[in-house]
Amino acid sequence: EAGVTQFPSHSVIEKGQTVTLRCDPISGHDNLYWYRRVMGKEIKFLLHFVKESKQDESGMPNNRFLAERTGGTYSTLKVQPAELEDSGVYFCASSVEWGTGELFFGEGSRLTVL
Amino acid sequence: AQSVAQPEDQVNVAEGNPLTVKCTYSVSGNPYLFWYVQYPNRGLQFLLKYITGDNLVKGSYGFEAEFNKSQTSFHLKKPSALVSDSALYFCAVRDRTISGNTPLVFGKGTRLSVIA
């Protein structure tokens, strides 16, 4: 069974540019999450999809971040325009159930904004 | 608000010795507690969880953790460390008494180094 896959694994962009990160969850997992870790800090929650609906987007930092999950399958996270403080590792995770179920994580997309 | 504290950035232990990685939490009600491990260049992997019942939880790779409600702690332990246990360990909590979809909140991680 394929795990959660994320693309790209590493992206280096200039301040003001746009980047789109993609996440393919495990097939059949309705719940999809985005998290971000800045170097040495906590892994911070960004948002949670249930199928194609945004269940909780309370962690999205500002309106420069846009997440979509069209058709309830893969998800994209767009940062436009990118700022220096957006640098970090963006993790995607999926799960069968919310609440007590374990999350399955991708390897992360490292974003460096210069 | 939910929060997790992992007071140690780094834990060093000799191979064969017992290891402990500390975690304390703060929730308004009762917690669901999790430990995840991240090996180099990999995603986080689930190790174990406490939902309800027995306070001592056993998980993957010989790890266990004990839920201590009075001390609001959920320390990760292993009786005999292996070099292959060297990784980054994250504790996480969710308040199970809050209705609605509260997210899983992670700590900042503790790097475990097991020395041969």
Side-chain angles (χ1 to χ4, degrees):
Chain A
E1 178 183 274
V4 177
T5 57
Q6 292 187 246
F7 182 82
S9 57
H10 192 186
S11 180
V12 181
I13 61 173
E14 303 256 334
K15 176 183 170 180
Q17 289 185 319
T18 298
V19 64
T20 299
L21 310 177
R22 173 170 169 146
C23 169
D24 286 77
I26 293 173
S27 177
H29 284 196
D30 288 342
N31 294 277
L32 186 149
Y33 315 81
W34 284 99
Y35 282 83
R36 176 174 72 176
R37 184 172 191 242
V38 174
M39 179 77 77
K41 304 287 188 181
E42 296 86 353
I43 299 174
K44 290 210 167 183
F45 169 80
L46 297 179
L47 87 161
H48 170 207
F49 284 99
V50 178
K51 297 185 180 179
E52 66 274 9
S53 299
K54 290 177 185 174
Q55 194 69 32
D56 180 357
E57 52 184 331
S58 61
M60 294 287 264
N62 50 60
N63 59 10
R64 295 186 293 102
F65 288 75
L66 174 64
E68 295 180 321
R69 192 183 182 194
T70 307
T73 54
Y74 71 91
S75 175
T76 58
L77 179 64
K78 179 190 285 188
V79 185
Q80 179 184 29
E83 299 288 344
L84 298 179
E85 64 264 25
D86 300 334
S87 295
V89 180
Y90 290 78
F91 290 104
C92 176
S94 69
S95 68
V96 174
E97 60 180 75
W98 173 90
T100 60
E102 65 183 87
L103 272 59
F104 294 83
F105 280 81
E107 295 183 0
S109 291
R110 180 176 296 278
L111 174 64
T112 302
V113 183
L114 302 176
Chain B
Q2 309 169 108
S3 67
V4 170
Q6 293 183 243
E8 303 153 317
D9 290 335
Q10 174 96 28
V11 170
N12 298 318
V13 64
E15 187 175 32
N17 283 3
L19 70 87
T20 299
V21 182
K22 296 179 180 177
C23 171
T24 58
Y25 66 89
S26 175
V27 296
S28 57
N30 293 309
Y32 293 131
L33 292 157
F34 300 79
W35 275 101
Y36 284 81
V37 59
Q38 185 183 21
Y39 297 102
N41 301 314
R42 304 293 298 276
L44 278 74
Q45 296 178 32
F46 169 79
L47 266 183
L48 51 79
K49 65 182 177 183
Y50 170 80
I51 302 301
T52 188
D54 194 346
N55 288 346
L56 183 63
V57 178
K58 294 187 184 297
S60 307
Y61 311 121
F63 283 94
E64 59 187 30
E66 185 165 13
F67 169 59
N68 187 318
K69 187 171 183 178
S70 63
Q71 296 185 4
T72 62
S73 67
F74 190 57
H75 301 331
L76 181 70
K77 299 184 178 186
K78 187 173 181 180
S80 178
L82 299 172
V83 172
S84 57
D85 293 330
S86 299
L88 192 53
Y89 290 80
F90 291 94
C91 183
V93 68
R94 177 183 289 124
D95 191 332
R96 62 183 168 109
T97 47
I98 295 178
S99 61
N101 293 311
T102 55
L104 192 59
V105 173
F106 285 85
K108 62 179 174 64
T110 299
R111 185 164 300 281
L112 173 68
S113 291
V114 181
I115 304 157

